[in-house]
Amino acid sequence: MSHIHIDMENVSFAYEKGEEILRQITFHASETDSVGLIGANGAGKSTFLKMLVGLNLNFTGSIRIEEIPVQSGTLAQIRSRIGYVFQDSDSQLFMNTVYEDVAFAPRNYGLPEKEVEKRVEQALRMTGTMHLKEKQIYKMSGGEKKLISIATILSMTPDILLMDEPSIALDPKNRRNLIHILNSLEHLKIIASHDLDLILDTCERTVLISQGRIAADGPTKEILTDQVLLEENGLELPLCMRKG
Amino acid sequence: MELFSVSGLSERVYMSKIGGTIREIHYMETLSSRDQWVNQIHPLVKFVLTVIYILAVVSFYKYDVAGLAGFAVYPLAVFILAELSFLDSLKRLRFVLPLVCLVGILNPFLDKQEVMLAGVPVSAGVLSMTTLIMKGVFSVLASYLLIATTSLEKLCYALGMLHIPRAAVTQFLLTYRYITVLLEEVDRITQAYLLRAPRQKGIHFKAWGSLAGQLLLRSLDRANEVYESMLLRGYQGDYGYMREHAVPGRQDRRYFIFWMAVFALFRACPVILVIGSIF
Ligand SMILES: Nc1ncnc2c1ncn2[C@@H]1O[C@H](COP(=O)(O)OP(=O)(O)OP(=O)(O)O)[C@@H](O)[C@H]1O
Ligand SMILES: [Mg+2]
């Protein structure tokens, strides 16, 4: 793959005038980085991710994905490179069957049906959901839906994966399965989550957002063991780090 | 048989009527996504056949019960080909069919002539009532069968091929999606309300305003997210669906020609009477 990178320079964003959610964010990631995005409720994690795919366009500063600036004219190009997994799988999935949903993106990109089928099968294999291929979406469990959501994104063969709270509503077994799958994907990943243990298991690097700014950015092992830093920013140590 | 897994749906227990409605929608999707042979016929062919069938049925003279009766062959055949349960379908149409039947109910009182049917004098009013009901029932059945064997996306594709404007087709598709989203939200909100007001039979009218407001905001939010999810996966108002099956194939054309021939024959002569006179 060519040079995959995300560059944000001095990015600020407000939904409503005067109330900046993100302030002066500068952030870079490239190649196969896996970045955990953490922060208290309302810190702006989802907002951050949505900006990268151009769902929040009226920011100031510059965002570039593989040298392409994020702006209204380049969205199609940007979005074909980025896969965004919604927090709520029910918003992500809208077709009737698993196959049709996973095939949605490749069909939209005009691939011939043979190629679409190949992509779908590959995506299902990568997420270990081949057995669900013909199933109807509304009949599936939350864990299955999450994996299918990821498959719908993988079938577009993106360079970059963005995930918003991927482990929410998953039971321990499905969560472990998810971690396993995330670790097997060699994309540039940014994972926003409150599940710090998940971040610890899947991300090399962690960015902590607090009050609209990047409060810390460094190796996950350092940030997630820094009790003082975490508590100052409304978070707690990952479960596996707590004593007693 | 396939049908059993379909009706396995009823295992899911829904608490509310809205849940029931959502289930009906999902049920139709289940039906249309099966891989029966009729389901595989090109959507354009099925759509056009349905329209022609309805036009042919409606065009019968009001006393021509015998000629009209022959047209039962199409819904019956499709029911069998699609392996749909007839009883089950009647149950699903329980609200529509009585309405259709009501339309003709006054005819026997308004039209008191007598006409000859196969040599027997009958009341013209009863005859015209019968044809009206048959026309209504046949049309409803044909539409039902179209929907039960063709997914909405495919139907939209057929509409697109007929040069219905793209914006209208997208609107149609999204509205349909929005209805499910809306109903699911209604279900969630009413359940949350009723669980906290267990003694009440329904929702107190004082709460309607704020619930309706909530509902609108939440369902719009949700629908917006669904739309965003479509955009992020390359949707640009024109779903590149079925590129491979863009035009009807040989099988589709045969199916079309077969039914057109049947319709023409049954429209031209009362086949039922002809067959009856042979025996
Ligand atoms: N569509 C919107 N319009 C106005 N304000 C919004 C909108 N979406 C989010 N916000 C506000 O922006 C802030 C950041 O929200 P965001 O969803 O990005 O936070 P988050 O870090 O993802 O939180 P959580 O952990 O709860 O998911 C919040 O204060 C929120 O109220
Ligand atoms: Mg969020």
Side-chain angles (χ1 to χ4, degrees):
Chain A
M1 278 183 238
S2 63
H3 291 293
I4 297 166
H5 49 116
I6 297 175
D7 301 286
M8 295 172 87
E9 297 282 349
N10 287 323
V11 174
S12 301
F13 176 81
Y15 284 105
E16 272 137 54
K17 257 194 204 138
E19 275 185 60
E20 285 197 331
I21 305 293
L22 293 173
R23 274 177 246 153
Q24 302 286 319
I25 301 272
T26 294
F27 169 86
H28 301 276
S30 62
E31 302 302 334
T32 58
D33 282 357
S34 50
V35 184
L37 197 58
I38 63 174
N41 282 130
K45 303 181 292 296
S46 303
T47 308
F48 183 105
L49 293 184
K50 287 194 171 176
M51 279 199 310
L52 294 178
V53 281
L55 286 178
N56 297 332
L57 271 181
N58 45 343
F59 55 83
T60 60
S62 103
I63 305 180
R64 288 168 171 272
I65 309 288
E66 301 171 17
E67 303 298 341
I68 308 164
V70 175
Q71 59 199 38
S72 57
T74 58
L75 291 184
Q77 236 179 323
I78 300 266
R79 288 171 178 174
S80 68
R81 289 171 165 73
I82 303 187
Y84 183 101
V85 180
F86 281 76
Q87 173 170 337
D88 186 348
S89 304
D90 286 327
S91 306
Q92 178 108 37
L93 306 171
F94 47 80
M95 299 295 277
N96 184 24
T97 64
V98 169
Y99 185 93
E100 284 183 26
D101 217 307
V102 180
F104 185 82
R107 276 179 178 155
N108 266 321
Y109 288 115
L111 295 177
E113 201 58 27
K114 267 231 174 67
E115 179 67 20
V116 170
E117 199 174 331
K118 231 168 71 191
R119 292 268 192 106
V120 173
E121 296 198 338
Q122 196 179 355
L124 294 179
R125 213 169 300 125
M126 283 162 93
T127 49
T129 50
M130 204 53 161
H131 59 289
L132 299 174
K133 189 171 160 191
E134 301 298 336
K135 243 189 148 180
Q136 283 184 295
I137 291 196
Y138 72 94
K139 284 185 189 167
M140 297 193 312
S141 76
E144 290 170 331
K145 281 189 199 164
K146 183 52 78 183
L147 296 180
I148 296 303
S149 297
I150 297 174
T152 63
I153 294 311
L154 292 178
S155 66
M156 345 185 334
T157 60
D159 300 331
I160 300 169
L161 287 180
L162 307 179
M163 306 206 184
D164 201 348
E165 303 281 5
S167 65
I168 214 159
L170 295 189
D171 64 26
K173 183 162 163 269
N174 277 305
R175 184 175 160 282
R176 273 199 305 280
N177 187 18
L178 175 75
I179 291 175
H180 174 72
I181 287 161
L182 291 181
N183 282 330
S184 70
L185 300 173
E186 289 175 345
H187 301 71
L188 165 48
K189 291 180 290 240
I190 304 183
I191 301 174
S193 185
H194 292 290
D195 183 347
L196 301 189
D197 294 83
L198 171 98
I199 301 284
L200 201 57
D201 285 337
T202 55
C203 300
E204 306 263 295
R205 173 180 160 200
T206 291
V207 170
L208 169 57
I209 298 189
S210 178
Q211 315 208 332
R213 292 177 191 278
I214 293 185
D217 180 351
T220 301
K221 290 211 173 71
E222 282 172 28
I223 291 183
L224 292 189
T225 48
D226 190 339
Q227 188 164 6
V228 179
L229 174 73
L230 291 176
E231 282 175 3
E232 270 175 6
N233 293 293
L235 298 170
E236 292 175 358
L237 280 178
L239 288 173
C240 66
M241 296 283 171
R242 289 182 214 165
K243 292 178 204 113
Chain B
M1 216 174 58
E2 185 82 358
L3 280 183
F4 283 105
S5 64
V6 166
S7 54
L9 270 181
S10 55
E11 288 161 20
R12 298 184 125 209
V13 181
Y14 279 88
M15 281 171 56
S16 59
K17 278 187 196 151
I18 301 143
T21 313
I22 299 173
R23 197 179 47 178
E24 297 268 318
I25 293 179
H26 285 322
Y27 181 85
M28 290 308 288
E29 292 193 337
T30 313
L31 290 182
S32 63
S33 70
R34 296 175 314 154
D35 48 7
Q36 251 68 17
W37 176 106
V38 186
N39 296 43
Q40 308 299 333
I41 297 286
H42 196 283
L44 183 63
V45 165
K46 283 186 281 186
F47 180 74
V48 173
L49 271 181
T50 305
V51 172
I52 293 175
Y53 175 81
I54 292 175
L55 288 178
V57 160
V58 172
S59 73
F60 270 96
Y61 182 55
K62 63 178 174 174
Y63 299 143
D64 194 358
V65 175
L68 198 50
F71 267 72
V73 72
Y74 176 71
L76 286 178
V78 179
F79 264 113
I80 293 166
L81 288 175
E83 291 182 34
L84 288 166
S85 152
F86 189 67
L87 277 182
D88 198 59
S89 310
L90 286 188
K91 227 167 39 191
R92 254 151 245 292
L93 296 172
R94 65 189 176 277
F95 297 115
V96 185
L97 289 179
L99 283 181
V100 170
C101 295
L102 263 177
V103 175
I105 205 125
L106 285 179
N107 280 29
F109 304 102
L110 300 179
D111 189 351
K112 294 205 162 140
Q113 283 173 276
E114 285 203 340
V115 289
M116 301 299 277
L117 181 71
V120 188
V122 245
S123 145
V126 172
L127 273 189
S128 61
M129 174 184 79
T130 313
T131 52
L132 255 182
I133 290 178
M134 283 165 81
K135 285 175 182 180
V137 171
F138 286 176
S139 305
V140 169
L141 284 181
S143 319
Y144 173 81
L145 287 169
L146 174 68
I147 298 170
T149 59
T150 317
S151 73
L152 195 83
E153 285 80 14
K154 289 189 182 170
L155 215 51
C156 285
Y157 180 79
L159 293 178
M161 285 183 85
L162 290 171
H163 298 286
I164 310 269
R166 184 184 297 172
V169 176
T170 303
Q171 194 79 4
F172 181 51
L173 190 66
L174 290 180
T175 307
Y176 175 76
R177 286 285 158 227
Y178 179 69
I179 289 173
T180 350
V181 165
L182 182 72
L183 286 175
E184 275 164 14
E185 251 4 289
V186 171
D187 200 27
R188 233 167 273 160
I189 290 184
T190 46
Q191 281 196 17
Y193 176 90
L194 291 177
L195 286 175
R196 283 189 284 164
R199 297 228 184 119
Q200 248 161 272
K201 277 222 176 94
I203 291 174
H204 196 271
F205 74 91
K206 279 183 186 158
W208 283 2
S210 75
L211 282 186
Q214 274 292 312
L215 180 66
L216 191 68
L217 288 178
R218 273 165 56 165
S219 64
L220 282 177
D221 245 16
R222 171 60 75 90
N224 187 44
E225 258 196 5
V226 170
Y227 185 55
E228 284 178 350
S229 160
M230 294 170 75
L231 287 179
L232 292 182
R233 290 198 266 154
Y235 184 78
Q236 287 177 329
D238 178 20
Y239 183 32
Y241 188 65
M242 290 181 56
R243 224 164 274 260
E244 295 271 298
H245 324 273
V247 288
R250 194 190 296 165
Q251 174 99 328
D252 303 316
R253 263 173 284 158
R254 281 202 201 130
Y255 184 80
F256 184 74
I257 291 169
F258 171 77
W259 280 116
M260 286 306 287
V262 172
F263 293 169
L265 177 69
F266 281 55
R267 185 69 192 81
C269 69
V271 176
I272 299 259
L273 289 188
V274 175
I275 295 174
S277 69
I278 293 173
F279 297 104

